[in-house]
Amino acid sequence: MLVLRLLNVVAPAYFLCISLVTFVLQIFLFIPSMFRDPSTTPLFSPGLLHGALFLFLSANALGNYVLVIQSSPEDLGKGLNLGEGAEVVADWLDGSRSPGSALPSTHFCRLCARVTQRHDHHCFFTGNCIGSRNMRNFIMFCLYTSLACLDSLVAGMAYISATLSMSFANPLAFLTLLPHSISQFFSGALLSSEMFVILMLYLWLGIGLACAGFCCHQMLLILRGQTRYQVRKGIVVRARPWRENLQEVFGKRWLVGLLIPVLNVGSDYRRQKEK
């Protein structure tokens, strides 16, 4: 448990550090290198367009990250009108009842010390549990993080290609880039800044693929109306149309949440909270 609590503190700090490094490299290294083409107009220059795209992806990723943390799990008896169920959860937190007597689709996380409705999993990179309150923001966070990493990967490869005068037309060039760069770095033919960018390329690739895969897997579970916790515990859920499952998570005005980082727009949870 001590290791998990330590990871719950280190992982968010690690993510914020990677985000800061990515932002600095993009703003002060990659984007300025794209303004060197005099044939393009200032309005449609690659640097300006890429900078606007990167800021849009970064703002959505960071905004949804903050909303995932802000929409933390809460005591179901205080947050929702559950009648007698509130007493059950309260007794569960006090330890007078066993977890088996809790409400369906809820889970008590020892790291958060709170109960999550429709608990999915505990995310160490946000230091928070993912459930009905922040599932949509978590999906958007994973989506825009993967896109921001892909954008940084492409920009970094363009920078390395121009700096080192090398081509990535051959797919094997990227696979052999790291071992070749390490040998050049220790021989003094490669600067430390260029070596750092190359290491970041592989880090962006790994984070981007992991977030994209997790996002796709999470969407598949949402279409089925399941959570990772239910799948892990073998809990059988009632079959519903996939449109209802999507609407429960993303709400009716899903397009608003897709373009800008906002709380669950039009979701069933928000309407239940307002009653």
Side-chain angles (χ1 to χ4, degrees), residues 169-244:
N170 186 359
L172 295 179
F174 184 79
L175 298 178
T176 58
L177 176 62
L178 183 59
H180 182 66
S181 301
I182 293 177
S183 61
Q184 285 188 328
F185 175 73
F186 285 106
S187 63
L190 193 66
L191 299 177
S192 57
S193 60
E194 297 171 345
M195 186 64 199
F196 180 75
V197 172
I198 292 174
L199 293 176
M200 288 300 298
L201 293 180
Y202 290 91
L203 184 60
W204 288 326
L205 177 63
I207 296 177
L209 291 178
C211 289
F214 199 91
C215 183
C216 293
H217 180 252
Q218 204 70 43
M219 284 298 301
L220 181 61
L221 292 177
I222 292 175
L223 291 173
R224 295 176 178 176
Q226 294 178 307
T227 63
R228 292 169 60 91
Y229 177 76
Q230 291 173 341
V231 174
R232 187 171 67 251
K233 295 297 183 179
I235 301 176
V236 180
V237 297
R238 180 173 60 88
R240 296 189 307 175
W242 60 272
R243 293 180 181 272
E244 294 184 9

Side-chain angles (χ1 to χ4, degrees), residues 11-267:
Y14 172 77
F15 171 78
L16 293 177
C17 181
I18 294 297
S19 301
L20 180 61
V21 171
T22 302
F23 184 82
V24 171
L25 289 177
Q26 284 272 15
I27 298 299
F28 296 101
L29 197 63
F30 299 159
I31 295 178
S33 66
M34 298 179 185
F35 284 96
R36 299 175 182 176
D37 188 3
S39 63
T40 59
T41 60
L43 183 60
F44 298 100
S45 62
L48 186 61
L49 296 177
H50 174 78
L53 176 61
F54 173 73
L55 290 178
F56 171 76
L57 297 176
S58 301
N60 275 276
L62 183 60
N64 283 286
Y65 179 81
V66 172
L67 291 178
V68 170
I69 299 176
Q70 180 182 354
S71 303
S72 60
E74 62 182 357
D75 190 339
L76 296 183
K78 298 178 181 179
L80 299 175
N81 185 16
L82 297 177
E84 297 180 355
E87 299 178 359
V88 176
V89 176
D91 292 340
W92 185 21
L93 291 173
D94 294 337
S96 58
R97 288 178 181 263
S98 62
S101 63
L103 297 175
S105 302
T106 61
H107 175 69
F108 176 72
C109 178
R110 297 183 182 274
L111 294 176
C112 297
R114 295 175 181 174
V115 177
T116 309
Q117 185 188 25
R118 285 192 61 82
H119 176 83
D120 189 87
H121 69 285
H122 182 89
C123 177
F124 288 97
F125 284 99
T126 60
N128 202 358
C129 277
I130 308 301
S132 59
R133 293 195 67 186
N134 51 14
M135 174 59 74
R136 190 192 61 76
N137 294 119
F138 179 75
I139 294 293
M140 292 295 101
F141 161 68
C142 291
L143 174 62
Y144 280 107
T145 299
S146 62
L147 294 178
C149 287
L150 176 61
D151 178 84
S152 302
L153 176 63
V154 173
M157 291 176 62
Y159 174 81
I160 291 297
S161 178
T163 304
L164 302 182
S165 300
M166 62 180 302
S167 175
F168 289 98
N170 186 359
L172 295 179
F174 184 79
L175 298 178
T176 58
L177 176 62
L178 183 59
H180 182 66
S181 301
I182 293 177
S183 61
Q184 285 188 328
F185 175 73
F186 285 106
S187 63
L190 193 66
L191 299 177
S192 57
S193 60
E194 297 171 345
M195 186 64 199
F196 180 75
V197 172
I198 292 174
L199 293 176
M200 288 300 298
L201 293 180
Y202 290 91
L203 184 60
W204 288 326
L205 177 63
I207 296 177
L209 291 178
C211 289
F214 199 91
C215 183
C216 293
H217 180 252
Q218 204 70 43
M219 284 298 301
L220 181 61
L221 292 177
I222 292 175
L223 291 173
R224 295 176 178 176
Q226 294 178 307
T227 63
R228 292 169 60 91
Y229 177 76
Q230 291 173 341
V231 174
R232 187 171 67 251
K233 295 297 183 179
I235 301 176
V236 180
V237 297
R238 180 173 60 88
R240 296 189 307 175
W242 60 272
R243 293 180 181 272
E244 294 184 9
N245 296 328
L246 283 178
Q247 183 175 333
E248 182 182 8
V249 176
F250 293 94
K252 293 182 178 180
R253 297 187 294 274
W254 57 270
L255 186 59
V256 177
L258 183 63
L259 299 178
I260 56 177
V262 293
L263 291 174
N264 291 6
V265 180
S267 65

